[in-house]
Amino acid sequence: MSTGRQSAISSREIFLVTGVTGKVGYQAALYLLEKKLPVRVLLRKDAARAAEFRAKGAQVIVGDLMSTHDVRRAVTKDVKAALFVPAIDLMMIQAAAVFAAAIEDAQVPHLTMLSQWYASPNHPSTHTQQIWLAERIFLRLAPTTVVTRIRVGLFADNHLSRGLLANAIHLGVIPNFWEDGGMAPVSNEDLGASCAATMAEPARVARHGIVYRPTGPKLMKFTDMVEVVSKVVGRPVTEMHLGKRMAMKAMTQGGLPWFPQQAVLEYAEAYSARAQELVVPTDHVEYLTGRAPESYEVTVCRYAKVEGAASFGGALKAMGQFMSILMTSAFDIPKEMTHIQIPKGSVEPMNSEEWAREMEEVRATQYLMKDHSRE
């Protein structure tokens, strides 16, 4: 690296984080602020989350990731590292292209992308195909920019948010439409910290194109997770299996648009094929952050504390939500998708040779801590 280039990098100090209105970007920004690092966040609305970050000492840029003008205001010559958190949106690939152009113009030294475990060029989910394309766009920023990919599986709060834990607390049931399979559920806090660590310590953990797969501490079946929920809420909890149609009605009632629903339904297929059981657990959370990943029980306890104890009023509210789901009309996803071009030749991850090759590359770095024995 030239002396001029080294000087330019050393003069940079800003850590730019996108996606802070979501869970992972939010936790990444908090992690960096706790490290007393200068943080800039880019978010769409000047609302409560913007005010919160201003109060914490972060620079706040209000703008749209799909706007070149707005992104250029955030990605400036003083940015040392940036985190791109893709939204589940039909236009996400445009946001990635706009962000990449700004990163290239400003010659930002380090970029971390929150990606997906399923990312592959022929995945049945249009969003996941776009995730793979976004990776390729960013990887072409070398050698000026070192790109780190965080490929996340399923989140620990998948069955805890959107009122799902409330059903366990007040009614003793937890809805689920995922079939047989397992995962190593990882918390948003650990994911955000892992992303932030790649930004804060690039010399130690960054290498162009490297893939990290942060996971929870152990592989769990859904029955295992139900047992943990039952222990935390202090009552017997049973699984209430939802068919595909009812799951779509529940997602619609919960405010999830049709495009993310299409992705979720495809992810359920891969989960049933046990794609989430591959290369788990890893020690990547501990390697990146210096702390062990939190257990699923710790995550459930945090959500249960917010939800509160069982009550008659809570039970009535949960039953009312069930009735609302029954009366909700599900999206006609095939009809919604008729106006977008769907590439032919879709392949589930477990049947994709290209995905299998990339998965094996991650398996080679499953354990990075010196005191781990490879299994």
Side-chain angles (χ1 to χ4, degrees):
M1 182 181 293
S2 68
T3 303
R5 174 71 176 147
Q6 288 177 328
S7 176
I9 291 176
S10 63
S11 67
R12 296 170 184 267
E13 60 177 13
I14 300 297
F15 294 84
L16 173 64
V17 181
T18 70
V20 295
T21 53
K23 298 174 181 178
V24 178
Y26 177 74
Q27 293 296 333
L30 291 183
Y31 180 94
L32 293 168
L33 287 168
E34 289 170 0
K35 298 290 185 181
K36 307 300 183 183
L37 296 171
V39 174
R40 178 183 296 159
V41 299
L42 172 63
L43 33 64
R44 178 175 288 185
K45 296 180 180 179
D46 193 352
R49 188 59 61 87
E52 177 184 349
F53 276 109
R54 285 195 188 97
K56 293 180 183 296
Q59 297 180 19
V60 174
I61 302 292
V62 177
D64 193 327
L65 267 175
M66 296 182 204
S67 165
T68 299
H69 174 268
D70 290 347
V71 172
R72 281 177 171 171
R73 290 191 296 115
V75 184
T76 50
K77 292 285 187 179
D78 56 354
V79 172
K80 183 176 184 178
L83 172 64
F84 179 80
V85 180
I88 305 182
D89 187 280
L90 269 169
M91 298 294 289
M92 187 281 292
I93 196 64
Q94 176 178 331
V98 167
F99 203 75
I103 292 288
E104 183 178 36
D105 290 345
Q107 297 186 311
V108 175
H110 303 284
L111 171 65
T112 297
M113 176 186 174
L114 182 66
S115 184
Q116 287 184 358
W117 180 233
Y118 295 142
S120 55
N122 300 308
H123 194 279
S125 162
T126 305
H127 176 66
T128 300
Q129 290 184 22
Q130 290 190 7
I131 291 288
W132 183 86
L133 285 170
E135 283 192 357
R136 292 312 180 270
I137 291 172
F138 290 139
L139 288 172
R140 282 168 170 76
L141 294 171
T144 303
T145 303
V146 174
V147 177
T148 300
R149 293 172 286 174
I150 303 288
R151 283 194 170 181
V152 61
L154 295 177
F155 299 88
D157 70 344
N158 281 353
H159 294 90
L160 304 177
S161 56
R162 295 184 182 272
L164 295 177
L165 184 60
N167 293 316
I169 292 173
H170 302 295
L171 302 179
V173 297
I174 188 161
N176 176 48
F177 79 100
W178 303 83
E179 300 291 345
D180 292 338
M183 64 176 182
V186 59
S187 71
N188 295 303
E189 287 74 9
D190 285 337
L191 276 174
S194 296
C195 290
T198 66
M199 302 165 67
E201 299 183 82
R204 181 176 70 87
V205 300
R207 187 179 73 247
H208 186 66
I210 192 170
V211 173
Y212 289 109
R213 172 162 163 72
T215 71
K218 66 178 182 179
L219 177 68
M220 302 180 74
K221 304 292 187 181
F222 188 71
T223 52
D224 300 324
M225 291 186 280
V226 171
E227 288 182 6
V228 172
V229 171
S230 180
K231 175 184 176 182
V232 171
V233 303
R235 66 176 296 173
V237 176
T238 58
E239 174 188 358
M240 183 176 70
H241 187 75
L242 303 180
K244 181 177 178 180
R245 188 69 179 173
M246 185 60 71
M248 292 170 64
K249 289 165 71 75
M251 288 188 286
T252 303
Q253 192 272 341
L256 200 65
W258 72 267
F259 187 63
Q261 287 191 35
Q262 189 254 349
V264 169
L265 294 173
E266 296 296 345
Y267 302 157
E269 293 292 329
Y271 178 83
S272 299
R274 303 186 185 279
Q276 287 290 340
E277 296 183 22
L278 301 175
V279 197
V280 294
T282 70
D283 64 3
H284 295 181
V285 170
E286 185 173 1
Y287 176 74
L288 293 170
T289 69
R291 69 192 193 201
E294 69 178 31
S295 68
Y296 188 65
E297 183 174 342
V298 170
T299 305
V300 176
C301 285
R302 184 167 55 250
Y303 279 78
K305 184 177 180 180
V306 174
E307 191 65 42
S311 65
F312 179 71
L316 286 178
K317 182 178 179 180
M319 287 188 289
Q321 184 180 36
F322 271 123
M323 295 301 297
S324 177
I325 291 172
L326 292 173
M327 294 184 289
T328 298
S329 297
F331 282 110
D332 185 342
I333 292 180
K335 181 180 178 181
E336 296 286 350
M337 295 186 71
T338 55
H339 68 285
I340 64 174
Q341 187 69 32
I342 305 298
K344 296 180 180 179
S346 296
V347 179
E348 291 288 347
M350 296 292 276
N351 299 321
S352 168
E353 293 183 3
E354 185 164 357
W355 185 79
R357 286 196 301 272
E358 293 195 352
M359 182 271 292
E360 287 302 325
E361 291 177 7
V362 181
R363 189 190 298 278
T365 59
Q366 183 172 359
Y367 300 111
L368 294 169
M369 304 291 289
K370 292 181 178 179
D371 58 346
H372 268 296
S373 60
R374 294 181 181 271
E375 299 178 355

